[in-house]
Amino acid sequence: MRVGGGWNAYKSIVAFGDGLIAHTPDGRQWRYEKADDWDPAVPFKPRRAVGGGWNAYTALAGMGQIGRTAYEDNPSLAARAKDGRLVVYGVVRFDGKSEPYYPRPGGWSWNIYDLLV
């Protein structure tokens, strides 16, 4: 099913929880959360800006929750820096919204891999 046009504006798109994270070449990142209704032609709510500076990363991968916090069942986002460092962002949900937050180190030498999944 077609979800709309203009997706080629993004450098990468990764699954994140029950939605998507889309990253533009200039480093801006956008969050698409799953729509609450059951209309398959409109699977996402309108996008929300997550912030800038994400062009410091060469790869992103959405994953299940890493580590335990007071917030259960929240996704995490792995981001690989140009020097091979891995940064794992946890998620905090407020008012039903979620976005990558609270970066933690995830190791070094991740630039030996072609992609993260």
Side-chain angles (χ1 to χ4, degrees):
M1 166 136 331
R2 184 182 164 120
V3 180
W7 293 93
N8 58 341
Y10 297 114
K11 179 178 177 181
S12 67
I13 300 171
V14 298
F16 186 70
D18 57 4
L20 302 173
I21 290 284
H23 169 200
T24 62
D26 66 357
R28 290 180 296 156
Q29 198 166 80
W30 300 89
R31 173 80 166 112
Y32 288 87
E33 292 182 296
K34 184 183 98 163
D36 294 331
D37 57 5
W38 291 95
D39 182 356
V42 186
F44 303 111
K45 295 177 184 178
R47 71 180 188 171
R48 287 186 303 105
V50 175
W54 291 89
N55 53 349
Y57 299 114
T58 60
L60 300 173
M63 60 182 64
Q65 182 176 355
I66 302 294
R68 299 298 300 170
T69 66
Y71 305 96
E72 296 183 12
D73 300 324
N74 289 331
S76 295
L77 181 70
R80 182 182 62 202
K82 294 175 183 175
D83 65 0
R85 287 178 301 114
L86 191 71
V87 179
V88 178
Y89 287 83
V91 171
V92 178
R93 291 180 186 245
F94 296 106
D95 301 327
K97 297 179 181 175
S98 63
E99 59 187 49
Y101 182 74
Y102 189 63
R104 294 171 288 179
W108 302 269
S109 301
W110 285 86
N111 53 354
I112 65 170
Y113 300 107
D114 292 331
L115 80 125
L116 303 175
V117 291

